[in-house]
Amino acid sequence: MAADPTYSAQKRNPTILPQTTSDDDDGGPRGRHLPKGRHGDRKFGNIRITILCGFVTVLVLRGTIGLSNLVSFEADAESQYLIEETNRIVTAIRSDDDPPDPDDENSPNSTSAFNLGPKIKNWDQDKKLWRRRNPQFPYFINGRPKTYLVTSSSPSPCENSIGDHYLLKFLKNKIDYCRIHGIELVYNTAHLDKEMSGHWGKLLQIRQLMVAHPEAEWIWWMDSDALFTDMVFEIPFHRYRSSNLIIHGYPDMLFNEKSWIALNTGSFLLRNSQWSLDLLDVWAQMGPRGRPREEAGKILTSSLKGRPALEADDQSALIYLLISQRERWMNMVSIESSYCLHGFWESLVDRYKEMMEKYRPGFGDERWPFVTHFVGCRTCASNGDYPVERCLKSMEMAYNFADNQVLNLYGFRHRGLVSTNIKRIRNESVTPVVNVDKFGIRNSLRGNKG
Amino acid sequence: MIGRLLGPRRARQLQRFVRNGKLTIFCLFLTVIMFRGYLGAGRFGTPEKDLDDIRETLSYIRNRAEPRRVLEEALMAAQGGLKSAENAGAGGNNYADFDMTKILRDEDDGAEELNRDPSQPYSLGPKISDWDEQRAEWLQRNRKFPNFIREHKPRVLLVTGSSPKPCENPVGDHYLLKSIKNKIDYCRLHGIEIFYNMALLDAEMSGFWAKLPLIRKLLLSHPEVEFLWWMDSDAMFTDMVFELPWVRYKDVNFVLHGWDHMIYGQKNWIGLNTGSFLLRNCQWSLDFLDTWAPMGPKGKVREEAGKLLTRELKNRPVFEADDQSAMVYILATQKEKWADKVYLENAYFLHGYWGILVDKYEDMIESYHPGYGDHRWPLVTHFVGCKPCGKFGDYPVERCLKQMDRAFNFGDNQILQMYGFTHNSLGSRRVRRIRNETSNPIAARDELGLLHPAFKAVKV
């Protein structure tokens, strides 16, 4: 570009006022003369660069400090509103919006015997008569007595959503076991009796099912935090022909040590009989909310080894009952420990991998536990007795360990014991019945063959 | 000024240098930005994420425009993990704010995985042509598992499911729990078995298409099952007494709720509903599933199929192919091949759209009684569009959840009355006694006769 010699001259000569630019004029504020078009070009060029730079700045800012956070107040406000709405709705759903019952506040102070219901005296004969008259509702099918599995949970959402998620998964687990083994499943979500609140509610549920279903031979109570981890194992009912209560525990802990954890009432079976109705009536005496339960709690703490000071719970009450009225009840009770009718989770979950390598489903004992029971995790409440991560991870592993046994028929398996994804382990076949024969659990069970 | 210091030529050279320098710096900036875009950086955004955001916004607008029959992706999303709404807890025994993603891991346990050959066109499985014969032979050998429990009463498997991951919505799992309890109750009364699915069998057939591989797999693995009843997780039984009229279906293989004229006449995309249907376990059904599946594989196939369906079907908005529209299309265009074995039922609510039913429950209680299964007392109330497991903000949450509570209680009352209880009101969780207990329970009868109904009785 040629130097413009008039530049400095113009600057030094203030008397020459700048004129409007023209093609011929050498003037201009900077002294640089440009044709009009080129001046426009220059301006346009500047604007282009400005826009480009602005664009780059926006990109950089967006990447480093999140310009959207600065600019879109609307998006912020909206998400804030959503969070508040969510909390409001969830709180409304979790809370109980019924007006409190007038007699909720008054705990019964009477010391008169509590009744689970009107006294029934002839249940064994009535039941037999009914069964004779109604053969279309059999109490014995394919060599197995008709069993009702009952479990329950609260009608309100759990304190945390993860609690509901595991209730759902454990219920699916029970659905699978019951489908394979022909057991009727009852899931209760109603509080039937104010007095028998909490875990005591199971007594009323069991009694109710017994009297409503004479065709039921066994009522199997199972806690909502217990799941089946052996899909093949079946309760050996032939062993219990002269028993009315099948429960997991240790006789020496029960009678010698009088330990409060000698038995576990998280998973047990009661035969549908007069004996069981009588047992439930006696057992229920320590249950009613308020003074009866507190007083009973004191008795139990002083009588049973290791029991902390708590109001009466159904498990301690049963233990105390069987110890103190041994002659009346024990001849019809089977205390079982040869398989995990209840399997305490802590000693089992870390061994699942080893079990998968060494053993196979069907043992039902420590080699391949029948039931894994997550005592103390209390995922539906806000706090448990164990670290949350350990509980939830173990529950996921137990669920997948069991689910693998169900998926096996379909040729799939979980990717890993903590993975929700599955992978195919067997190709699709043009003769699927071969796989059904080979891998189907149901048709290979004793009593189902042929 | 600079000119004064350095002299005019130098000044100009410097200016030129600076101008070029600006360009150089500008180009450097651009390079850095491009690299960021490819390699990613920062928490907030890369240009690719911008594009994703834009795409998402557009599809959100598109979804909002959908009419009543909103598709539910009730089954799991195979792609991407679920972002937990809760932050990681500090450890300890408190369940609040625990982040499940800390636990769930896709670690492989080493067992060999078999994958479909991706170079082959998609198929649900190898072609089977003699399923009727194979099944008959199996039933012959396994007489303890007859496909008919009684004359005219087939063995039925009800299939439903949800994602194996926790719901995004904090009360979603609770509603799934209530929904499955409701199904457990109906099925126990009617002698129906349940399969609750929580597994995605085929990543290509994701979303609403996931039911197809599952149905085929279940039919082939359970030859004892005569009918498979698919039911969405957002559908509930509201008539516990109504037993399906099995005799009506003895000569058909596929029963759905819908209207003939809307399918064969209008090709209306909501002329039938695939949220609740019956499919017989036979060769015909396998062939139908094979015909149905090709529009399903996700990606380009599904997109293109979606465009075709929107063009061909009445009132269908623009979105990827869904199983329901595909079904309408197949029936309408291949009527001669399939229609004689397909029954479009509308005499009762095999599927009942919740919007027109839920406000009438109290009237129904006053005027009618369970057992009708139709508009007087619907068999199924289907909460189409509610997505109980999804995030808040997509739909009018409160109305959906409140009505689901009412529908649940409406059905639950029929179960509770067997034992002498009922809910305090349709909106209440609490129950009260309506029938005193007796010391002679053998003689007791429940009003609806559900304790020992005829449809539960077995062949003697």
Side-chain angles (χ1 to χ4, degrees), chain B residues 92-309:
Chain B
N93 300 6
N94 195 302
Y95 285 103
D97 304 329
F98 184 79
D99 183 7
M100 270 310 281
T101 55
K102 275 168 80 177
I103 294 177
L104 302 174
R105 288 211 198 306
D106 238 8
E107 284 159 5
D108 201 293
D109 66 355
E112 194 205 345
E113 176 178 8
L114 303 166
N115 284 316
R116 198 184 73 82
D117 184 357
S119 63
Q120 297 295 320
Y122 182 80
S123 85
L124 288 173
K127 179 91 184 125
I128 299 176
S129 315
D130 61 342
W131 178 235
D132 288 336
E133 291 79 8
Q134 283 193 46
R135 192 171 164 245
E137 186 263 338
W138 188 92
L139 286 169
Q140 185 80 330
R141 275 192 290 118
N142 289 273
R143 292 197 182 270
K144 291 235 165 109
F145 298 104
N147 55 332
F148 276 82
I149 299 171
R150 219 174 40 247
E151 200 192 359
H152 301 311
K153 169 99 170 165
R155 187 188 296 268
V156 181
L157 181 69
L158 185 113
V159 183
T160 185
S162 63
S163 168
K165 297 194 167 78
C167 288
E168 291 195 32
N169 169 340
V171 288
D173 282 300
H174 176 70
Y175 283 90
L176 287 175
L177 189 65
K178 284 175 100 154
S179 176
I180 186 58
K181 171 193 152 60
N182 168 279
K183 294 179 177 86
I184 288 173
D185 286 331
Y186 181 91
C187 291
R188 184 179 66 251
L189 261 47
H190 291 261
I192 294 174
E193 293 173 358
I194 299 180
F195 186 85
Y196 194 88
N197 184 50
M198 277 180 149
L200 179 64
L201 268 57
D202 190 332
E204 279 182 85
M205 299 289 267
S206 60
F208 20 75
W209 287 97
K211 59 172 81 101
L212 266 67
L214 176 67
I215 290 174
R216 183 180 198 268
K217 175 58 79 177
L218 288 172
L219 289 176
L220 297 179
S221 307
H222 293 282
E224 73 276 12
V225 166
E226 181 64 18
F227 269 108
L228 190 147
W229 186 347
W230 169 267
M231 199 154 155
D232 283 353
S233 61
D234 55 2
M236 289 210 218
F237 284 104
T238 33
D239 189 338
M240 293 293 176
V241 176
F242 186 84
E243 166 84 349
L244 261 56
W246 300 109
V247 180
R248 203 185 293 177
Y249 308 136
K250 66 180 168 57
D251 296 321
V252 297
N253 296 334
F254 204 164
V255 182
L256 307 104
H257 187 268
W259 296 266
D260 282 333
H261 66 275
M262 282 180 82
I263 300 297
Y264 303 115
Q266 294 175 24
K267 286 200 207 163
N268 194 321
W269 80 299
I270 48 170
L272 51 77
N273 189 283
T274 52
S276 172
F277 61 83
L278 300 164
L279 188 66
R280 193 184 291 273
N281 192 351
C282 58
Q283 183 63 49
W284 183 99
S285 302
L286 295 180
D287 296 337
F288 191 90
L289 288 169
D290 283 335
T291 308
W292 196 2
M295 288 190 174
K298 72 172 190 229
K300 203 152 167 289
V301 173
R302 212 185 278 187
E303 295 285 339
E304 293 300 310
K307 291 179 191 151
L308 169 72
L309 293 171

Side-chain angles (χ1 to χ4, degrees), chain A residues 62 86 88 93 98 169 172 179 185 187 215 377 382 388 410 413 415 419 423-424 430 442 447, chain B residues 50 92 95 106 108-109 111 114 134 144 164 181 188 194 196 217 222 224 392 398 428-429 452:
Chain A
R62 202 191 174 294
T86 306
R88 184 184 67 75
I93 290 175
D98 266 348
K169 278 187 144 147
K172 171 199 152 59
R179 180 185 66 249
L185 178 60
Y187 192 80
E215 74 277 17
C377 274
S382 43
V388 160
Y410 311 116
R413 158 189 178 119
R415 202 167 278 283
S419 170
K423 61 181 173 183
R424 185 185 281 284
V430 291
R442 187 153 64 168
Chain B
D50 283 341
Y95 285 103
D106 238 8
D108 201 293
D109 66 355
L114 303 166
Q134 283 193 46
K144 291 235 165 109
K181 171 193 152 60
R188 184 179 66 251
I194 299 180
Y196 194 88
K217 175 58 79 177
H222 293 282
E224 73 276 12
F392 279 153
E398 263 189 289
S428 165
R429 284 182 204 127
H452 300 100

Side-chain angles (χ1 to χ4, degrees), chain B residues 46-59:
Chain B
T46 60
E48 197 188 299
K49 187 173 178 301
D50 283 341
L51 282 172
D52 280 342
D53 272 346
I54 292 170
R55 223 178 278 134
E56 215 181 278
T57 318
L58 285 178
S59 73

Side-chain angles (χ1 to χ4, degrees), chain A residues 338-367:
Chain A
S338 65
Y339 58 90
C340 297
L341 179 58
H342 142 85
F344 181 54
W345 66 282
E346 262 238 291
S347 51
L348 296 170
V349 294
D350 297 314
R351 294 179 32 234
Y352 286 145
K353 269 213 175 88
E354 178 202 325
M355 293 173 193
M356 281 159 65
E357 277 158 29
K358 285 200 193 146
Y359 305 114
R360 57 181 160 70
F363 288 117
D365 53 25
E366 281 78 30
R367 290 171 292 179

Side-chain angles (χ1 to χ4, degrees), chain B residues 361-380:
Chain B
Y361 287 147
E362 278 85 1
D363 293 338
M364 294 174 190
I365 294 174
E366 222 181 275
S367 316
Y368 303 114
H369 57 79
Y372 289 116
D374 54 21
H375 64 280
R376 291 170 292 185
W377 203 286
L379 172 66
V380 171

